[in-house]
Structures are given as structure tokens and as C-alpha cells.
Amino acid sequence: MNGLDLKVLRKKAGLSQEELGKEVGLSKNTIYNYENSGQIPASKIIIFENFFKKKKSSISEYNEKLTEEEAQDIIQKLYFYEKELMKYENFILWKKTIQAEERNKTLKDILKNRLDTI
């Protein structure tokens, strides 16, 4: 689980950052930091997994599609973490073979197709 997963689960559960924080004993700022940094300590991941398991909420259990805003957030995160993603050979090859405009269109198409299956 990463920060984006947490944000998706929280939104699907209909909780604000403050509400989720109260449920798991953390501050709103801590939830905000996890969602925006993308990193969650392993000890906290267990807490969130248990909480959402009790709520019967996991990414794979949702039949709803992500909103356009959520999809755009994913795209922004990909660009934000581009340097880290460059460690992965497949990402480097993908980036080299597709021009920026085509990459944006391709990424949006991939997301749309993936979101249609969720």
C-alpha cells in the first residue's frame, strides 16, 4: 500500500482525512503527508489494511470507476515520481519510445482501460 492507494481507499470509504485519522488514531496532517508523499511506514500500513478490511474496502473490491480527477492525480504522481520510476527498465524503454504527446495519450488510454476493469 502506498499513499495513492490510501487516498483511493479513503475516498471510496467516504471519509475525510480527518475522519480516517480519528478512526486509526492519527492526525489529519499525518494522513495528508502519507497520501502526498506516497510513502507509509510499514507499521502504519498494517493499521490501514486492518481498518479497510473491517470496512470491507480494498481497491480490488470496488466496482466503481475512478473519477477523472482521481485519474489526473495518478498521472501527476507518475510525473512527480518520474526520477524514481526511471530505475525500472520497462519504464525507461516506454519513455524513450513514446513522444510526450503520445505518452500522455497512451497513459490516459491505459488508465481508462484499467479503470474500466476496476
Side-chain angles (χ1 to χ4, degrees):
M1 174 184 284
N2 61 34
L4 184 57
D5 295 334
L6 178 62
K7 185 175 187 176
V8 170
L9 289 169
R10 176 182 61 77
K11 286 186 172 193
K12 296 297 181 186
L15 298 171
S16 68
Q17 291 174 337
E18 186 173 4
E19 292 167 331
L20 176 59
K22 286 180 183 178
E23 291 286 338
V24 297
L26 298 170
S27 72
K28 174 186 175 183
N29 289 340
T30 300
I31 302 298
Y32 173 86
N33 289 335
Y34 291 162
E35 289 182 358
N36 290 296
S37 73
Q39 298 179 6
I40 304 172
S43 61
K44 302 303 181 196
I45 290 174
I46 294 168
I47 292 170
F48 290 122
E49 286 175 346
N50 288 336
F51 173 77
F52 287 112
K53 189 180 281 185
K54 288 178 188 173
K55 288 274 209 190
K56 298 185 189 238
S57 303
S58 73
I59 293 174
S60 62
E61 290 176 334
Y62 286 106
N63 291 326
E64 298 175 33
K65 296 181 178 107
L66 291 176
T67 65
E68 183 176 336
E69 178 183 300
E70 290 167 328
Q72 290 295 332
D73 188 45
I74 291 169
I75 292 168
Q76 288 175 344
K77 294 283 187 196
L78 283 172
Y79 285 115
F80 183 77
Y81 293 107
E82 182 175 4
K83 287 182 183 177
E84 293 172 40
L85 291 169
M86 291 301 285
K87 292 186 262 183
Y88 301 98
E89 184 178 340
N90 289 340
F91 187 79
I92 294 169
L93 294 173
W94 173 71
K95 185 171 183 201
K96 285 181 179 178
T97 58
I98 301 175
Q99 297 297 323
E101 286 180 26
E102 294 173 323
R103 189 169 55 242
N104 284 338
K105 183 183 181 313
T106 302
L107 181 56
K108 287 177 185 177
D109 290 344
I110 290 169
L111 279 172
K112 182 184 180 308
N113 290 337
R114 175 68 181 121
L115 299 177
D116 286 343
T117 64
I118 295 179

